[in-house]
Amino acid sequence: MSGDFSKMIEFMTLIGQLKRVQRTGWVRSNITRPESVADHMYRMAILAFLVDPASGLDKDRCIKLALVHDMAESMVGDIAPSDGISKEEKHKKEEAAMGYISSLVESSVGREIYCLWKEYEDQSSAEAAYVKDLDKFEMILQAYEYEQLEDKPKCLEEFFASTKGKFQTDQVKQWVESLESVRSNPKTS
Ligand code: ZN
């Protein structure tokens, strides 16, 4: 096996690991068969397809940011605030993981992946801010679905409470409002 190919396989094995890292919030809430980090990023990427054309945001960039933003979790896992790891330490671990992961592919691709991750992490563009809103929206949509699937209405209120007032973009704010109204009036939806 050539060196490049074995690195590519290692890269893809790490990406595959994202299918097995379960999202910590659902595990702690005792959700049956909780989704993986890959599941979460895939639906965020699809949500990014729906970006309002009038927003002026670069849709392809939003899709790429969604696909990359949690990639470090293939190595460090899904660290939750309740894990007692400081924000700085979490950032350091994830930065090191991204440095390693992006070194496994051709250098220009590796640079692109690393810079997209950093752009999201630093929230340094309008696209990154939009994708952060999608991150939270995807989570509460998932919470709503689990409430339905487990037949326990409003049992995941903490996820809604933790994102309240934190959305920044008009489009996602409207989605949140609509979701909350469907959740409050399930019969009329
Ligand atoms: Zn995420």
Side-chain angles (χ1 to χ4, degrees), residues 23 40 44 69-70 135:
R23 300 251 286 157
H40 158 69
M44 273 176 66
H69 82 287
D70 284 336
D135 188 52

Side-chain angles (χ1 to χ4, degrees), residues 60-123:
D60 289 357
R61 189 163 200 84
C62 293
I63 294 171
K64 286 181 176 182
L65 284 163
L67 288 170
V68 161
H69 82 287
D70 284 336
M71 199 180 266
E73 295 181 14
S74 62
M75 295 187 78
V76 305
D78 183 11
I79 300 168
S82 52
D83 285 328
I85 294 174
S86 71
K87 257 191 165 176
E88 293 71 34
E89 198 184 333
K90 178 174 184 276
H91 176 78
K92 256 193 203 161
K93 280 174 186 282
E94 291 181 345
E95 193 169 47
M98 285 312 293
Y100 181 70
I101 294 166
S102 57
S103 76
L104 297 171
V105 288
E106 193 270 318
S107 64
S108 64
V109 179
R111 207 172 315 119
E112 183 183 12
I113 289 174
Y114 187 87
C115 289
L116 284 162
W117 173 81
K118 185 133 177 57
E119 178 179 332
Y120 181 80
E121 193 69 8
D122 295 346
Q123 287 291 292

